[in-house]
Each structure stands twice: as C-alpha cells, then as structure tokens.
Amino acid sequence: MRDALDTWWKKAEGRACIDYGLHMIVTDLGVCGLEDMDEMVDEGVASFKLFMAYPNVLMVDDATIFKSLARTAKNGALICMHAENGSVIDVIVAKALAEGKTAPVYHALTRPTRAEAEAVHRAIAMAEIAGAPVYIVHLSSEDALNQVREARDRGVPAFAETCPQYLLLSIEELERPNFEGAKYVFTPPLRTKDNLPKLWDGLKDDHLQVVSTDHCPFCFADQKILGKDDFTKIPNGGPGIENRLQLIYHHGVNAGKISLNRFVEITSTTPARIFGMYPQKGEIAAGSDADIVIWDPKAPYTISSKTHHMRVDYSMFEGYQVEGNARTVISRGEVIVDGGEFLGKAGRGNYLRRQARGGAWQ
C-alpha cells in the first residue's frame, strides 16, 4: 500500500488543480496488509475501497472483507464497498455469451438487482459483526436501497451513495442502435425506470446520503468499440463529473424532489463529513477553507460533448437542458473558475490528509 500511495502522490505532483484525497483499493491483505492499513490512516488515507465484483481482477473474498472491516473498527477508517455478487454474475454472463447474447443491453440483463441487493446485505452483515461502519458506493436499485434502509432503521452505521445516471437514465439507453448503447455500460448497470423515483425518495429521506458520479470515462470511438461483438469487452465506465451539480439541481431542486438545503448536504457537506474532511471542507465558516461555488439558479445550460471539458468524446446526458449552473468557483479563497473560464493552475492543489472518524458515525 505504501508503494501505491507514493505512486499516486507522484502522479498528482505538479498536476492537481484542486485539493484532493485518495482512497486505497484493497485487492489482498498479504502478510502485513493490516499494518499497511494503519499506516495509510496515519498518512491521511481514511477510506479503503473493496470489490465484491470482478472475480480474478479486483474481487476479494468475504474473509478479506471481514478482516478489513475489523481493522477499520479499530483504526477509525471507512470501508467503501462495490456491492455486487461477482461470482453469480460471472455464471450468468457465461450463459448469455454461450447463447449468443452479445449486445450491450446484456451487460445489464446479466447483473440483476438481486445480485446487488444480496451483496449489500452481506456487506452490512459483515460490518455489523465487525462493529464497523460501511459505505456502499454507486447504489443503483430499489432492491439494494431496501437493504440499506432496513439496516439504518435498526441503527446500523450503513451509508450509501447513488449517481446521476441511476437517478435519470434507465436500461433502455443500452438498447440504442448502432452500438450507441455501449456508451452506457458501467457497473452496477442501468436499471428499469421504476427504480428511479425510489432512489430520489431515498435521497430525500436520508436512506441515501451522497450523490457522487463514479466518473470513469472511456472514449466511444476507440475504446468502447472494443466490445462490438462481446459486451464483456466493452470498457466499463462512463463520464459524469462535470454535470453532477447541474443535473441534481435541475432534476432535484427545480423539480421539487429535494430541497435546496438537501442539495447542498448530498453534494458537499455530508461527503465532507463521511470522508474525514469536515469542517476544513464542506462548510462556509471561519477557519474552514474558502471553497465556495457561487451558483446561478436561473442560468440555462445545454449539456453536450461539444462544449464539455471532460476529455471524452460523448456525454451520457447529450442534449439535456438544465436551469442552474456554477457562475464562479473559489478554491481556498482563490477564484479558479469564473463565467465558464478556468483560471486555476496545475500544481496548486494540495493533498488532503483526511481524519479517521473513529466511533463518530451516527
């Protein structure tokens, strides 16, 4: 883990435009892995990500998950879990391919919501046994949400996030002609439309605490196309980081699904609290960093790959018209975006040494 941390610090050195923190992904714990976790906490890495999906690549077994949770119960860090039953999904995928089902839509059809819900349930159960909190990343379905709600109703420190794509898009996007559906291949996959209002309700009622993006872009023309004849070879991920606030403000606040205060909570304050950055971040107060977005609630904007700043050749929300956009962005008191123009400089961003929260999770 020390080598990985040094590698990523070097990648960021002289390049980061804003302050950043790092998660550490755990793929095995080895002989000294648990001690490595403690060292990472000392270095300000207050969260670890584990995968219950992608066998033989990233997936770890339950014993590794439980050991990690037990360690964070002691060192105060947080386990972030990609929760899907990867072993079961692999069997379903193999069956689909054997039957000649290779189109992008089968990416979603081979990853059922119950496979997500089962993994969420198992992750929470192991966290309860270990006496540790757990954070479910990019939750996509009502089935999975029900597991988080049930645990939270019992007072378990289980947290979860969702993403704009799961709030606004559905499995129908994967059926687009001319292989366009490949643009919407990411995991967990898009679900049927009946899940969308349930996730909005989850945000409103605090069963979901955060809206993130799971931003992981691949270009359509030369990367997504690799899976033209086999959906399992489509690079897995989508772009979204630039449009998160616009989409959640327009479709949440403007549509009356969430309040303005809740918008700020789920996009800023709560993630800062959960991930050990508060009150340095996520707060406007004396002594906090002057990180401020000045928001124009009436600004019209059309989302398009032709005008976005992400280095990718398509948008998942191409043509979406929204009302509400950032006018000015201030980072540590310095204006870095104004009127759509980037004024920041590479290298001005600092590494954030995040604080492990210990028992302060409720």
Side-chain angles (χ1 to χ4, degrees):
M1 291 185 194
R2 178 82 241 181
D3 291 344
L5 183 61
D6 289 341
T7 296
W8 283 90
W9 273 346
K10 282 175 188 158
K11 285 176 184 281
E13 191 175 347
R15 300 181 68 188
C17 300
I18 57 167
D19 297 349
Y20 69 97
L22 295 169
H23 301 293
M24 183 63 65
I25 290 176
V26 176
T27 53
D28 72 89
L29 285 174
V31 176
C32 59
L34 295 173
E35 290 79 8
D36 280 358
M37 292 179 78
D38 294 345
E39 184 186 353
M40 290 302 96
V41 173
D42 291 340
E43 293 286 2
V45 177
S47 51
F48 299 85
K49 187 174 182 184
L50 283 74
F51 291 80
M52 303 171 89
Y54 313 125
N56 305 314
V57 182
L58 291 168
M59 187 173 112
V60 291
D61 61 18
D62 286 358
T64 300
I65 293 170
F66 183 70
K67 285 184 206 169
S68 300
L69 286 161
R71 198 67 173 202
T72 58
K74 294 177 181 176
N75 65 29
L78 178 64
I79 296 295
C80 303
M81 198 72 70
H82 177 121
E84 290 181 289
N85 189 317
S87 299
V88 168
I89 286 168
D90 262 19
V91 174
I92 301 171
V93 166
K95 182 173 183 290
L97 291 177
E99 293 170 353
K101 297 171 178 175
T102 61
V105 70
Y106 289 104
H107 170 74
L109 295 174
T110 55
R111 303 182 91 90
T113 60
R114 294 305 298 163
E116 182 183 19
E118 185 279 330
V120 170
H121 177 87
R122 186 160 32 107
I124 292 172
M126 286 188 281
E128 278 192 270
I129 297 167
V134 67
Y135 182 95
I136 308 299
V137 297
H138 44 61
L139 186 144
S140 71
S141 66
E142 181 186 10
D143 272 349
L145 174 62
N146 287 340
Q147 301 299 319
V148 177
R149 179 191 294 113
E150 187 272 336
R152 289 179 63 80
D153 284 349
R154 289 189 289 110
V156 176
F159 306 92
E161 65 181 31
T162 191
C163 310
Q165 57 267 32
Y166 302 124
L167 293 162
L168 299 171
L169 304 175
S170 73
I171 192 172
E172 294 170 7
E173 306 292 349
L174 287 146
E175 297 173 321
R176 291 186 176 213
N178 303 318
F179 196 60
E180 293 277 322
K183 295 176 177 178
Y184 302 90
V185 167
F186 38 78
T187 50
L190 292 176
R191 307 301 191 180
T192 54
K193 282 184 176 175
D194 53 308
N195 288 274
L196 275 57
K198 303 297 185 182
L199 296 180
W200 280 109
D201 287 345
L203 283 173
K204 182 186 68 173
D205 298 333
D206 199 38
H207 303 304
L208 296 168
Q209 290 72 49
V210 174
V211 175
S212 66
T213 64
D214 198 22
H215 177 78
C216 184
F218 295 95
C219 285
F220 179 69
D222 60 351
Q223 292 178 301
K224 289 282 189 179
I225 204 73
L226 296 172
K228 187 114 176 74
D229 302 313
D230 179 350
F231 70 88
T232 66
K233 292 183 169 59
I234 300 170
N236 207 311
I241 201 163
E242 184 167 345
N243 308 119
R244 178 181 70 124
L245 294 183
Q246 299 159 344
L247 291 165
I248 299 306
Y249 184 85
H250 181 80
H251 292 279
V253 180
N254 288 349
K257 293 186 177 78
I258 56 173
S259 69
L260 183 59
N261 280 353
R262 186 64 179 155
F263 168 71
V264 176
E265 284 178 355
I266 62 181
T267 60
S268 177
T269 310
T270 301
R273 286 182 185 275
I274 288 176
F275 290 103
M277 296 176 283
Y278 187 88
Q280 181 183 355
K281 306 292 186 184
E283 175 84 337
I284 300 175
S288 298
D289 287 352
D291 287 356
I292 300 167
V293 175
I294 299 173
W295 190 259
D296 183 345
K298 296 297 182 184
Y301 185 77
T302 301
I303 297 173
S304 175
S305 61
K306 297 180 180 66
T307 53
H308 73 200
H309 302 82
M310 297 181 287
R311 196 170 63 179
V312 62
D313 62 359
Y314 74 95
S315 170
M316 292 195 291
F317 302 97
E318 184 68 39
Y320 272 52
Q321 295 184 328
V322 294
E323 188 175 281
N325 201 4
R327 181 192 299 163
T328 305
V329 180
I330 301 167
S331 172
R332 275 185 280 111
E334 179 185 343
V335 175
I336 60 167
V337 177
D338 194 39
E341 183 183 358
F342 178 65
L343 304 172
K345 293 181 178 62
R348 67 166 297 282
N350 294 330
Y351 171 69
L352 286 167
R353 291 183 171 272
R354 297 182 292 119
Q355 300 297 310
R357 286 187 50 171
W361 287 105
Q362 293 298 346

